[in-house]
Structures are given as C-alpha cells and as structure tokens.
Amino acid sequence: HVQLVESGGGLVQPGGSLRLSCAGSEFTLDYYPIGWFRQAPGKEREGIASISNIDDKTYYGDSVKGRFTISRNHANLTVDLEMDSLKPEDTAVYYCAILSRGRLDGGIFGSWGQGTQVIVSS
C-alpha cells in the first residue's frame, strides 16, 4: 500500500516562505515521477507541481509558477516544494503523490496521505 508522507506545513505571513517535504515511508522516491497537489476548503484538489523521474524536468501550474520550486533532495531522500512569496490564496492542505502516468492529470499510484496544512495569514 503506497502512501507518501508530507511535512513542513505551518502558519506563515503573506510574502513569506515555507519548504515542504515528501518522503516514501519505506522506499526512495528517486525512481518515481512525483507531484505536489493542494486542496483548499470547498475546492477541488489541484495539481501544482511535478518532477520527472527520467530527467528531473519540472512542471508548474499557473497559480504557482515563478513562486514555487520542486526539487529532489537526494541527501534526505525527499522531494521538496520550496514556496516563496506566499499569498493567502495558497492556504490549503498540501499533498504529494507518485504520478502513475508522469503527469499531474494522469492519476496517482497508491492512495493520498494525510497532507500538511499551510495557512497564509497575517
């Protein structure tokens, strides 16, 4: 039963930064395409960033492009999401998952984890 573990969320002021991490409970993520998603209250889950397992090519949704950076942290065996210039509309529960078809809209492998809450507020 594949399920990833997210961490690093918290409360931050508008304009601030947070770094989220995604880890495999019993395996390295190096061999898998990974996506970050988020779900705000009352809204559908949204795919926001992904990283390829072939060439580490990244993709970003329009809502986070230029502010968020997805990367592989080989030392910690995680896939991290650096979030800068945070806005109140970034408030959501953030999830990571293995992408079953390498795309954010292609489904995930396994099930969703608990997620990590990000609140952007003054």
Side-chain angles (χ1 to χ4, degrees), residues 1-101:
H1 183 68
V2 176
Q3 193 175 78
L4 305 186
V5 180
E6 304 90 351
S7 62
L11 173 64
V12 63
Q13 292 188 341
S17 298
L18 275 178
R19 188 176 187 89
L20 308 183
S21 289
C22 171
S25 58
E26 297 179 3
F27 56 94
T28 177
L29 301 182
D30 283 354
Y31 307 117
Y32 302 98
I34 302 298
W36 277 97
F37 301 77
R38 67 185 182 186
Q39 187 166 21
K43 295 188 177 180
E44 292 189 355
R45 202 184 321 252
E46 170 192 15
I48 57 172
S50 66
I51 187 165
S52 166
N53 59 315
I54 297 173
D55 54 9
D56 282 351
K57 184 176 181 180
T58 57
Y59 168 84
Y60 299 94
D62 288 341
S63 61
V64 305
K65 195 175 297 181
R67 301 187 297 122
F68 290 11
T69 303
I70 186 172
S71 63
R72 295 187 185 274
N73 186 325
H74 295 292
N76 296 335
L77 302 180
T78 59
V79 172
D80 296 344
L81 185 70
E82 175 71 27
M83 306 187 298
D84 298 318
S85 302
L86 283 162
K87 306 174 182 179
E89 51 263 45
D90 294 318
T91 295
V93 179
Y94 284 70
Y95 304 87
C96 62
I98 296 173
L99 303 177
S100 58
R101 293 183 177 84

